[in-house]
């Protein structure tokens, strides 16, 4: 009861994956929209898929190998992972309804559905630019929001990681693509370019105070507004351009894929340290804040090392490009830089 708002916000943190889907659709259209404006050629399609493969697959494979290795040593997960689920994860089909629960590295469900969205993107982009009218982006965005509302209401929340997870991804990705089309064809709305902080605060309040599916729906609409407003802000002095946030964007994929494993390890350590002890409210609060601080430091360090020694080298090797770092590496591979 004392931690009700924090608990509710933490329970709704899955919605930031929907923010990533929206952002991913926006960035993919920005980076590759012109390349797939009139037709999809085989060399162009293969180049696009190679860049996406280089972006998401190497680290996913490393984490899968670590989880399988730990399981072989006797460190089992709560959910049973059938042996053939290793193959399903390796081919990124594990979130497409073949299992009724997440397998191995839990966050990788979103990588699975994102990958198959990439597979479809070039063809859909060509169809949209050749067949749809320029003003179609706004009604399609409205349709995406309506589909989100229907799915969230039907499921009770948008915490969908198997089964309809692919639909969840397509809804967010389509919304982001529509936002880019609106952004690219309409003049920037400068009077609104400073309200991104207010939108972000409103999203946090909604997630902390309202139950699902209302919070999920309002947060999704807020994420769409945030992406559009932030995209119109070209002022390089804005807080979104702070070097620390750019660095966090660079390492965000590593943070995402490593965080569950680190949480599991720390939880086991905390349980061993606690033993049979009974902690008072003050002790619980103190240990929680200490664990939170340790986790934040470790995940940032781990993600930085992962980005530097796994992501970048693998990406450069697969793309056969010279070594880049930081923002240049993200732009070279067409990778979304999360805020």
């Amino acid at each position: 009861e004392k931690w009700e708002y924090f608990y509710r916000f933490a329970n709704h943190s899955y919605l930031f994956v929907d923010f990533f889907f929206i952002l991913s659709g926006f960035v993919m259209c920005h980076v590759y929209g012109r390349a797939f404006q009139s037709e999809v050629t085989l060399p162009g399609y293969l180049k696009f898929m190679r860049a996406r493969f280089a972006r998401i697959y190497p680290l996913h494979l490393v984490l899968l190998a670590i989880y399988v290795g730990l399981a072989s040593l006797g460190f089992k997960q709560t959910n049973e992972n059938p042996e053939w689920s290793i193959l399903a994860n390796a081919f990124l089909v594990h979130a497409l309804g073949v299992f009724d629960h997440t397998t191995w590295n839990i966050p990788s469900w979103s990588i699975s559905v994102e990958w198959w969205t990439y597979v479809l993107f070039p063809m859909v982009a060509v169809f949209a630019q050749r067949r749809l009218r320029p003003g179609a982006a706004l009604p399609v965005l409205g349709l995406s929001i309506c589909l989100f509302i229907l799915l969230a209401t039907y499921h009770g929340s948008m915490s969908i990681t198997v089964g309809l997870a692919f639909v969840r991804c397509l809804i967010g990705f389509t919304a982001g693509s529509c936002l880019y089309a609106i952004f690219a064809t309409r003049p920037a709305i400068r009077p609104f370019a400073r309200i991104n902080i207010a939108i972000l605060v409103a999203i946090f309040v909604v997630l902390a105070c309202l139950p699902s599916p209302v919070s999920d729906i309002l947060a999704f609409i807020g994420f769409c507004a945030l992406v559009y407003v932030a995209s119109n802000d070209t002022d390089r002095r804005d807080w979104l351009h702070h070097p620390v946030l750019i660095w966090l964007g660079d390492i965000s994929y590593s943070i995402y894929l490593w965080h569950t494993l680190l949480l599991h390890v720390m939880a086991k350590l905390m349980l061993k340290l606690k033993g049979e002890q009974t902690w008072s409210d003050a002790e619980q609060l103190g240990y929680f804040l200490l664990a939170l601080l340790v986790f934040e430091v470790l995940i940032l360090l781990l993600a930085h090392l992962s980005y530097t020694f796994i992501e970048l080298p693998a990406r450069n090797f697969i793309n056969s490009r010279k070594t880049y770092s930081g923002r240049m590496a993200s732009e070279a591979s067409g990778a979304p830089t999360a805020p």
Side-chain angles (χ1 to χ4, degrees), residues 20-21 23-25 27-29 32 36 40 45 48-57 92 110-125 166 169-170 173 253 333-336:
F20 168 76
F21 290 150
L23 187 62
S24 183
V27 173
M28 288 298 103
C29 286
Y32 294 105
F36 301 118
V40 180
Y45 184 77
F48 168 75
M49 291 307 300
R50 183 179 66 180
R52 307 320 310 149
F53 179 88
R55 178 69 175 98
I56 70 173
Y57 192 79
L92 291 170
S110 61
I111 310 305
S112 169
V113 295
E114 183 83 5
W115 170 256
W116 293 104
T117 303
Y118 293 151
V119 170
L120 297 176
F121 170 74
M123 284 75 74
V124 176
F166 186 44
C169 177
L170 288 176
F173 197 93
Y253 183 57
S333 63

Side-chain angles (χ1 to χ4, degrees), residues 82-288:
E83 289 186 3
W84 76 276
S85 66
I86 300 174
L87 195 62
N89 275 260
F91 284 95
L92 291 170
V93 297
H94 53 290
L96 301 184
V98 294
F99 302 105
D100 60 0
H101 62 274
T102 52
T103 56
W104 301 107
N105 190 21
I106 293 173
S108 69
W109 74 266
S110 61
I111 310 305
S112 169
V113 295
E114 183 83 5
W115 170 256
W116 293 104
T117 303
Y118 293 151
V119 170
L120 297 176
F121 170 74
M123 284 75 74
V124 176
V126 168
F127 173 82
Q129 294 183 79
R130 292 177 61 179
R131 300 293 182 181
L132 298 183
R133 296 178 180 179
L138 193 58
V140 174
L141 173 62
L143 178 61
S144 298
I145 293 174
C146 289
L147 290 174
F148 187 95
I149 293 172
L150 287 174
L151 188 55
T153 304
Y154 170 76
H155 191 262
S157 76
M158 212 58 175
S159 182
I160 304 170
T161 56
V162 293
L164 293 172
F166 186 44
V167 177
R168 176 185 178 185
C169 177
L170 288 176
I171 290 173
F173 197 93
T174 301
S177 301
C178 292
L179 288 168
Y180 180 77
I182 297 169
F183 162 76
T185 56
R186 300 194 178 195
I189 308 176
R190 294 302 301 168
F192 295 98
R194 297 291 184 181
I195 66 170
N196 44 45
I197 296 179
I199 296 174
L200 193 59
V201 170
I203 292 171
F204 275 62
V205 171
V206 163
L207 297 184
C209 298
L210 297 178
S212 295
V214 177
S215 59
D216 303 48
I217 295 166
L218 293 178
F220 185 79
I221 295 171
F223 288 144
C224 289
L226 180 62
V227 169
Y228 182 71
V229 170
S231 66
N232 279 294
D233 194 347
T234 57
D235 186 356
R236 302 296 297 184
R237 296 170 296 176
D238 184 75
W239 65 278
L240 287 173
H241 299 98
H242 194 282
V244 173
L245 290 183
I246 293 174
W247 170 69
L248 288 174
D250 287 336
I251 67 172
S252 60
Y253 183 57
S254 281
I255 291 175
Y256 182 62
L257 281 198
W258 282 100
H259 83 276
T260 300
L261 179 60
L262 183 59
L263 280 173
H264 286 167
V265 171
M266 287 192 62
K268 289 183 179 295
L269 287 175
M270 288 291 288
L271 287 173
K272 282 195 173 185
L273 288 172
K274 183 177 183 295
E276 300 299 323
Q277 300 178 63
T278 301
W279 290 343
S280 65
D281 289 346
E283 288 175 325
Q284 287 186 48
L285 175 60
Y287 285 127
F288 169 77

